[in-house]
Amino acid sequence: VGPYVLVTPNETRRKRLQQIAKKELDDLEQWKKEHKPGPITLVPQRLGGNESEAQVRQNQQMILMQSKCQKKHKREEYVKAKKAAEEAEILKKKAIQREKAERLEVKKRQEEMQRREMFLEDQKYKTNELLNRLDVGLPKSDSCQIANPGPESTAWQRSHAYKQALREDENRRLEEMKQEQQRKAELMEFKQKQEDETRTRALKNEQRRVNNAFLDRLQNKIQPDNIYHPGYTG
């Protein structure tokens, strides 16, 4: 600690400052006494409006009950709207799953038709191959130009006629089956198109019904909130 100098206070100046401060405090107290506000006088009047206390309490109770009913109604409407939205979502998912199942069924039918066509083609090929092998073991038509055809020529004619009839019958059956499959495919496609249109229309109607119901409930919920309830007017 370094050296320091102790300064002796000036008593005269100190007393003068104390006197000035005391005078200012006295002046302030005197001013407060002179400007003290007087007593407040009000004209007596009746409070509480034109209704009695019992009527006011009854109105308050009615407003409280209405508020509880409105809250309960809003809660119920919210639950109903949420449930309707969930049901619409479930119906949409079911429709998607049904559409997938129908597409899978159509695909299976088409594959079955393709397998049947391949089987018929293979059967026709094997039949032709068998008939061709039979033709190899029989004499040709130019070697059988005799006046009185023998048993071999007659057998060849019967085999040739049988082979021709079998081919014609096989071709006819194959053509009929192709036409039947084409008609079934067209009918299935038309039916699938109608089902898709019906399903789309049903989904749109269901969505429109849910939206309209939600808007109606929302409008009915907003209207009671705007009703004026008479209450305490004091």
Side-chain angles (χ1 to χ4, degrees):
V1 180
Y4 62 92
V5 178
L6 180 63
V7 178
T8 304
N10 191 346
E11 292 293 335
T12 304
R13 186 168 178 270
R14 182 178 180 184
K15 289 181 180 179
R16 187 171 66 252
L17 292 176
Q18 288 179 350
Q19 290 176 359
I20 292 172
K22 186 175 182 300
K23 184 176 182 304
E24 290 179 353
L25 290 175
D26 293 339
D27 293 342
L28 179 61
E29 292 294 332
Q30 184 66 26
W31 183 88
K32 287 182 178 180
K33 290 180 181 179
E34 291 176 357
H35 294 81
K36 184 178 180 180
I40 299 175
T41 57
L42 297 176
V43 180
Q45 58 181 354
R46 183 179 179 182
L47 302 177
N50 297 326
E51 298 180 355
S52 62
E53 183 180 357
Q55 185 67 26
V56 171
R57 291 185 180 277
Q58 184 178 0
N59 292 338
Q60 290 178 348
Q61 186 69 20
M62 185 180 298
I63 292 173
L64 180 61
M65 292 176 63
Q66 290 179 354
S67 177
K68 290 182 178 180
C69 291
Q70 289 177 1
K71 289 181 180 179
K72 183 179 179 181
H73 181 70
K74 289 180 180 179
R75 186 165 56 253
E76 291 177 353
E77 292 297 328
Y78 173 75
V79 172
K80 289 181 180 179
K82 186 177 179 181
K83 186 176 180 181
E86 291 177 354
E87 290 178 355
E89 187 68 20
I90 291 172
L91 290 175
K92 184 178 179 180
K93 290 181 179 179
K94 286 183 178 179
I96 293 173
Q97 293 296 331
R98 191 182 302 110
E99 185 177 358
K100 289 182 179 179
E102 290 177 354
R103 288 180 180 176
L104 182 61
E105 185 67 22
V106 171
K107 185 178 180 181
K108 287 182 179 180
R109 292 178 182 176
Q110 291 178 352
E111 290 177 353
E112 183 66 25
M113 290 180 181
Q114 290 178 359
R115 285 195 296 269
R116 188 175 298 177
E117 289 179 357
M118 292 174 64
F119 173 74
L120 293 175
E121 290 289 342
D122 184 67
Q123 186 179 9
K124 180 180 178 182
Y125 173 77
K126 289 182 178 180
T127 303
N128 292 332
E129 185 180 2
L130 177 61
L131 294 175
N132 291 330
R133 284 201 302 269
L134 292 175
D135 287 342
V136 173
L138 294 175
K140 300 298 180 178
S141 58
D142 54 357
S143 63
C144 299
Q145 299 293 331
I146 56 177
N148 295 322
E152 294 182 357
S153 178
T154 305
W156 179 85
Q157 291 178 359
R158 287 199 302 267
S159 175
H160 182 71
Y162 172 75
K163 181 178 68 173
Q164 188 68 23
L166 188 61
R167 287 178 179 176
E168 292 178 357
D169 185 65
E170 189 70 22
N171 293 332
R172 181 179 55 80
R173 286 170 54 192
L174 183 60
E175 186 66 25
E176 289 179 355
M177 186 168 292
K178 287 183 179 180
Q179 293 178 1
E180 182 68 20
Q181 290 176 356
Q182 185 177 1
R183 287 195 298 269
K184 288 182 179 179
E186 293 177 354
L187 181 61
M188 189 179 300
E189 184 179 0
F190 178 72
K191 184 178 179 182
Q192 182 68 26
K193 186 177 180 181
Q194 285 186 340
E195 290 178 355
D196 293 341
E197 292 178 355
T198 304
R199 191 181 304 108
T200 304
R201 196 180 304 110
L203 286 175
K204 288 183 180 179
N205 293 333
E206 180 66 20
Q207 189 67 28
R208 191 181 299 109
R209 185 187 66 80
V210 172
N211 293 337
N212 292 334
F214 178 75
L215 292 176
D216 293 338
R217 288 193 296 268
L218 184 62
Q219 186 177 3
N220 294 330
K221 179 178 67 177
I222 293 174
Q223 288 180 356
D225 295 339
N226 297 330
I227 299 176
Y228 172 73
H229 300 287
Y232 184 75
T233 57

